[in-house]
Amino acid sequence: MRNAIKNAKLFVCDMDGTVYLGERVLDGALEFVKRVKESDKEFLFFTNNASRRKEDYLEKLERLGFGKCELMTSGDVTISYLQRHYPNKTVYVLGTEALRNSMRAEGIKLVDDASADIVVSSFDTELTYEKLCIACDGVRNGAVYLSTHPDYNCPTDGGFIPDSGAIAALITASTGRTPKYLGKPYKETAEAICALKGVEPKECISIGDRLYTDIAMAKNSGMTSILVLSGETKENDVTETNRPDFIVKSVENLTSVL
């Protein structure tokens, strides 16, 4: 692991379950991020959680003591995907008002009914049955169906709560259609990260607590993967097929290597 970290140019670090849980900073996280920033390496937070504005996350990171940070979300990847592949199409977003406002600010044409050309579902902490019905009707009507990210659960101080993947599973159960997922672990995200920072995947280390997002993105794209056991994944969840390059208890274990 020491050689992999020495040769890396960019650390891509998850947030929920990796450096904090709710309002609680995980042990060693502040020192780890500080050490990376003081090194000659780049550091980027990436969260699949698209329920908040990017500015909200940056404010939270600074408030928790991480200082000024650079951040990308699955919402950013989804906006970029819509702009490149579906310009001028109408979109119904099953998501928070923060996500909807972010899309409006980037010129995405949002509608509030099932006439949309595209339905995007996400982690919606403001979910209502009416919004769910509109999304399902839109998908049944033939709309392109996208999801910002596939995470089933979001870790919090009080335990896990249903995330974007769980909401998408409900829509799939009702309509029979599965979405095209964006965010981690999909290629669009790895490509967006590398384009933003001007690096190759082999020069990146992806750190996170989920095998099917953080670790899978690294394996799919050629990044080095480090699993932390501070969030969703437990050691007995690891198999030969999903095994990361390295496993540590928490990011605190990486500080000494830096």
Side-chain angles (χ1 to χ4, degrees), residues 174-204:
S174 178
T175 66
R177 289 183 56 197
T178 56
K180 175 179 176 59
Y181 286 105
L182 298 166
K184 296 179 288 190
Y186 299 101
K187 65 177 184 179
E188 291 84 2
T189 295
E191 290 168 356
I193 289 169
C194 290
L196 176 68
K197 303 305 295 181
V199 296
E200 297 295 325
K202 65 182 179 181
E203 299 171 320
C204 303

Short mmCIF file of all heavy atoms in Angstrom, two decimals, residues 174-204:
data_model
loop_
_atom_site.label_atom_id
_atom_site.label_comp_id
_atom_site.label_asym_id
_atom_site.label_seq_id
_atom_site.Cartn_x
_atom_site.Cartn_y
_atom_site.Cartn_z
N SER A 174 -42.53 -1.23 -9.81
CA SER A 174 -43.83 -0.77 -10.28
C SER A 174 -43.92 -0.73 -11.80
O SER A 174 -44.98 -1.02 -12.37
CB SER A 174 -44.13 0.62 -9.71
OG SER A 174 -45.35 1.12 -10.18
N THR A 175 -42.82 -0.37 -12.47
CA THR A 175 -42.86 -0.13 -13.91
C THR A 175 -42.23 -1.23 -14.75
O THR A 175 -42.46 -1.31 -15.97
CB THR A 175 -42.14 1.18 -14.27
OG1 THR A 175 -40.73 1.04 -13.97
CG2 THR A 175 -42.72 2.35 -13.48
N GLY A 176 -41.38 -2.05 -14.13
CA GLY A 176 -40.67 -3.08 -14.88
C GLY A 176 -39.45 -2.57 -15.61
O GLY A 176 -38.82 -3.32 -16.36
N ARG A 177 -39.07 -1.31 -15.39
CA ARG A 177 -37.91 -0.73 -16.09
C ARG A 177 -36.83 -0.34 -15.07
O ARG A 177 -37.13 0.23 -14.02
CB ARG A 177 -38.31 0.50 -16.90
CG ARG A 177 -39.16 0.15 -18.12
CD ARG A 177 -39.46 1.41 -18.93
NE ARG A 177 -38.24 2.09 -19.31
CZ ARG A 177 -38.21 3.35 -19.73
NH1 ARG A 177 -39.33 4.07 -19.80
NH2 ARG A 177 -37.07 3.92 -20.06
N THR A 178 -35.60 -0.65 -15.42
CA THR A 178 -34.46 -0.26 -14.59
C THR A 178 -33.81 0.98 -15.18
O THR A 178 -33.78 1.15 -16.41
CB THR A 178 -33.42 -1.38 -14.50
OG1 THR A 178 -33.01 -1.74 -15.83
CG2 THR A 178 -33.99 -2.60 -13.80
N PRO A 179 -33.27 1.86 -14.35
CA PRO A 179 -32.66 3.08 -14.87
C PRO A 179 -31.23 2.84 -15.36
O PRO A 179 -30.60 1.83 -15.02
CB PRO A 179 -32.64 3.99 -13.64
CG PRO A 179 -32.46 3.04 -12.50
CD PRO A 179 -33.27 1.81 -12.88
N LYS A 180 -30.74 3.80 -16.12
CA LYS A 180 -29.30 3.89 -16.34
C LYS A 180 -28.76 4.64 -15.14
O LYS A 180 -29.13 5.80 -14.89
CB LYS A 180 -28.95 4.66 -17.62
CG LYS A 180 -27.44 4.88 -17.79
CD LYS A 180 -27.10 5.60 -19.07
CE LYS A 180 -25.61 5.90 -19.15
NZ LYS A 180 -24.76 4.68 -19.10
N TYR A 181 -27.88 4.00 -14.38
CA TYR A 181 -27.32 4.63 -13.20
C TYR A 181 -26.09 5.45 -13.56
O TYR A 181 -25.30 5.08 -14.44
CB TYR A 181 -26.91 3.58 -12.17
CG TYR A 181 -28.08 2.94 -11.45
CD1 TYR A 181 -28.48 1.64 -11.78
CD2 TYR A 181 -28.75 3.61 -10.44
CE1 TYR A 181 -29.54 1.04 -11.10
CE2 TYR A 181 -29.81 3.01 -9.77
CZ TYR A 181 -30.19 1.73 -10.11
OH TYR A 181 -31.25 1.14 -9.45
N LEU A 182 -25.94 6.57 -12.87
CA LEU A 182 -24.74 7.39 -12.99
C LEU A 182 -24.05 7.39 -11.61
O LEU A 182 -24.30 6.51 -10.81
CB LEU A 182 -25.11 8.79 -13.46
CG LEU A 182 -25.76 8.80 -14.86
CD1 LEU A 182 -26.41 10.14 -15.16
CD2 LEU A 182 -24.73 8.46 -15.94
N GLY A 183 -23.17 8.33 -11.35
CA GLY A 183 -22.44 8.30 -10.09
C GLY A 183 -21.47 7.13 -10.03
O GLY A 183 -21.17 6.48 -11.03
N LYS A 184 -20.94 6.87 -8.86
CA LYS A 184 -20.07 5.71 -8.68
C LYS A 184 -20.93 4.44 -8.70
O LYS A 184 -22.02 4.45 -8.14
CB LYS A 184 -19.35 5.80 -7.32
CG LYS A 184 -18.40 6.97 -7.20
CD LYS A 184 -17.73 7.04 -5.84
CE LYS A 184 -18.68 7.46 -4.72
NZ LYS A 184 -17.99 7.76 -3.44
N PRO A 185 -20.54 3.35 -9.38
CA PRO A 185 -19.20 3.03 -9.88
C PRO A 185 -19.04 3.20 -11.39
O PRO A 185 -18.16 2.58 -11.99
CB PRO A 185 -19.09 1.55 -9.52
CG PRO A 185 -20.48 1.04 -9.82
CD PRO A 185 -21.42 2.16 -9.38
N TYR A 186 -19.86 3.99 -12.03
CA TYR A 186 -19.97 3.95 -13.49
C TYR A 186 -18.91 4.79 -14.20
O TYR A 186 -18.35 5.74 -13.63
CB TYR A 186 -21.39 4.33 -13.89
CG TYR A 186 -22.36 3.34 -13.30
CD1 TYR A 186 -23.09 3.65 -12.16
CD2 TYR A 186 -22.47 2.06 -13.82
CE1 TYR A 186 -23.93 2.72 -11.58
CE2 TYR A 186 -23.30 1.13 -13.24
CZ TYR A 186 -24.03 1.46 -12.12
OH TYR A 186 -24.84 0.52 -11.53
N LYS A 187 -18.65 4.43 -15.44
CA LYS A 187 -17.53 5.00 -16.19
C LYS A 187 -17.66 6.50 -16.35
O LYS A 187 -16.65 7.21 -16.41
CB LYS A 187 -17.41 4.32 -17.56
CG LYS A 187 -18.62 4.57 -18.48
CD LYS A 187 -18.41 3.93 -19.83
CE LYS A 187 -19.57 4.25 -20.79
NZ LYS A 187 -19.37 3.66 -22.12
N GLU A 188 -18.90 7.00 -16.46
CA GLU A 188 -19.09 8.44 -16.62
C GLU A 188 -18.48 9.22 -15.45
O GLU A 188 -17.98 10.33 -15.63
CB GLU A 188 -20.57 8.77 -16.75
CG GLU A 188 -21.23 8.32 -18.03
CD GLU A 188 -21.68 6.86 -18.00
OE1 GLU A 188 -21.51 6.20 -16.94
OE2 GLU A 188 -22.21 6.38 -19.02
N THR A 189 -18.53 8.63 -14.26
CA THR A 189 -17.99 9.30 -13.09
C THR A 189 -16.47 9.28 -13.09
O THR A 189 -15.83 10.31 -12.85
CB THR A 189 -18.53 8.65 -11.81
OG1 THR A 189 -19.94 8.88 -11.76
CG2 THR A 189 -17.88 9.22 -10.57
N ALA A 190 -15.88 8.13 -13.36
CA ALA A 190 -14.42 8.05 -13.42
C ALA A 190 -13.89 8.98 -14.51
O ALA A 190 -12.87 9.67 -14.31
CB ALA A 190 -13.98 6.62 -13.69
N GLU A 191 -14.56 9.04 -15.64
CA GLU A 191 -14.14 9.92 -16.73
C GLU A 191 -14.23 11.39 -16.32
O GLU A 191 -13.34 12.19 -16.62
CB GLU A 191 -14.99 9.66 -17.97
CG GLU A 191 -14.71 8.33 -18.63
CD GLU A 191 -15.75 7.95 -19.69
OE1 GLU A 191 -16.74 8.70 -19.86
OE2 GLU A 191 -15.57 6.91 -20.35
N ALA A 192 -15.31 11.75 -15.61
CA ALA A 192 -15.49 13.14 -15.18
C ALA A 192 -14.42 13.54 -14.17
O ALA A 192 -13.89 14.66 -14.22
CB ALA A 192 -16.88 13.32 -14.58
N ILE A 193 -14.11 12.64 -13.25
CA ILE A 193 -13.07 12.92 -12.25
C ILE A 193 -11.72 13.13 -12.91
O ILE A 193 -11.01 14.10 -12.63
CB ILE A 193 -13.01 11.77 -11.23
CG1 ILE A 193 -14.26 11.79 -10.34
CG2 ILE A 193 -11.75 11.87 -10.37
CD1 ILE A 193 -14.41 10.55 -9.47
N CYS A 194 -11.35 12.22 -13.78
CA CYS A 194 -10.04 12.29 -14.43
C CYS A 194 -9.93 13.52 -15.33
O CYS A 194 -8.88 14.17 -15.40
CB CYS A 194 -9.77 11.02 -15.22
SG CYS A 194 -9.48 9.56 -14.18
N ALA A 195 -11.03 13.86 -16.02
CA ALA A 195 -11.03 15.05 -16.88
C ALA A 195 -10.87 16.31 -16.04
O ALA A 195 -10.14 17.24 -16.42
CB ALA A 195 -12.32 15.10 -17.70
N LEU A 196 -11.56 16.37 -14.91
CA LEU A 196 -11.49 17.54 -14.04
C LEU A 196 -10.07 17.77 -13.52
O LEU A 196 -9.59 18.91 -13.47
CB LEU A 196 -12.44 17.38 -12.87
CG LEU A 196 -12.42 18.49 -11.81
CD1 LEU A 196 -12.98 19.79 -12.38
CD2 LEU A 196 -13.20 18.07 -10.57
N LYS A 197 -9.40 16.69 -13.13
CA LYS A 197 -8.09 16.82 -12.48
C LYS A 197 -6.90 16.58 -13.41
O LYS A 197 -5.75 16.73 -13.00
CB LYS A 197 -8.01 15.84 -11.30
CG LYS A 197 -9.11 16.03 -10.27
CD LYS A 197 -9.17 17.47 -9.74
CE LYS A 197 -7.93 17.86 -8.97
NZ LYS A 197 -8.02 19.23 -8.44
N GLY A 198 -7.17 16.20 -14.66
CA GLY A 198 -6.09 16.01 -15.62
C GLY A 198 -5.17 14.85 -15.28
O GLY A 198 -3.95 14.94 -15.43
N VAL A 199 -5.76 13.74 -14.84
CA VAL A 199 -4.97 12.56 -14.48
C VAL A 199 -5.52 11.33 -15.19
O VAL A 199 -6.62 11.35 -15.75
CB VAL A 199 -4.98 12.32 -12.95
CG1 VAL A 199 -4.31 13.46 -12.22
CG2 VAL A 199 -6.41 12.12 -12.44
N GLU A 200 -4.74 10.25 -15.14
CA GLU A 200 -5.18 8.97 -15.65
C GLU A 200 -5.70 8.12 -14.49
O GLU A 200 -5.27 8.31 -13.34
CB GLU A 200 -4.01 8.23 -16.32
CG GLU A 200 -3.45 8.93 -17.54
CD GLU A 200 -4.45 9.00 -18.68
OE1 GLU A 200 -5.23 8.04 -18.84
OE2 GLU A 200 -4.44 10.02 -19.39
N PRO A 201 -6.61 7.18 -14.76
CA PRO A 201 -7.14 6.34 -13.67
C PRO A 201 -6.05 5.64 -12.87
O PRO A 201 -6.15 5.52 -11.64
CB PRO A 201 -8.02 5.33 -14.42
CG PRO A 201 -8.48 6.07 -15.63
CD PRO A 201 -7.30 6.91 -16.04
N LYS A 202 -5.00 5.19 -13.52
CA LYS A 202 -3.94 4.47 -12.81
C LYS A 202 -3.19 5.35 -11.83
O LYS A 202 -2.44 4.85 -10.97
CB LYS A 202 -2.97 3.85 -13.81
CG LYS A 202 -2.20 4.87 -14.64
CD LYS A 202 -1.29 4.20 -15.65
CE LYS A 202 -0.52 5.23 -16.50
NZ LYS A 202 0.34 4.57 -17.50
N GLU A 203 -3.40 6.67 -11.93
CA GLU A 203 -2.74 7.61 -11.03
C GLU A 203 -3.65 8.00 -9.85
O GLU A 203 -3.29 8.87 -9.06
CB GLU A 203 -2.32 8.86 -11.79
CG GLU A 203 -1.33 8.59 -12.91
CD GLU A 203 -1.08 9.79 -13.79
OE1 GLU A 203 -2.05 10.51 -14.11
OE2 GLU A 203 0.09 10.01 -14.19
N CYS A 204 -4.80 7.34 -9.74
CA CYS A 204 -5.80 7.69 -8.73
C CYS A 204 -5.99 6.58 -7.70
O CYS A 204 -5.86 5.40 -8.02
CB CYS A 204 -7.16 7.94 -9.39
SG CYS A 204 -7.16 9.21 -10.67
#
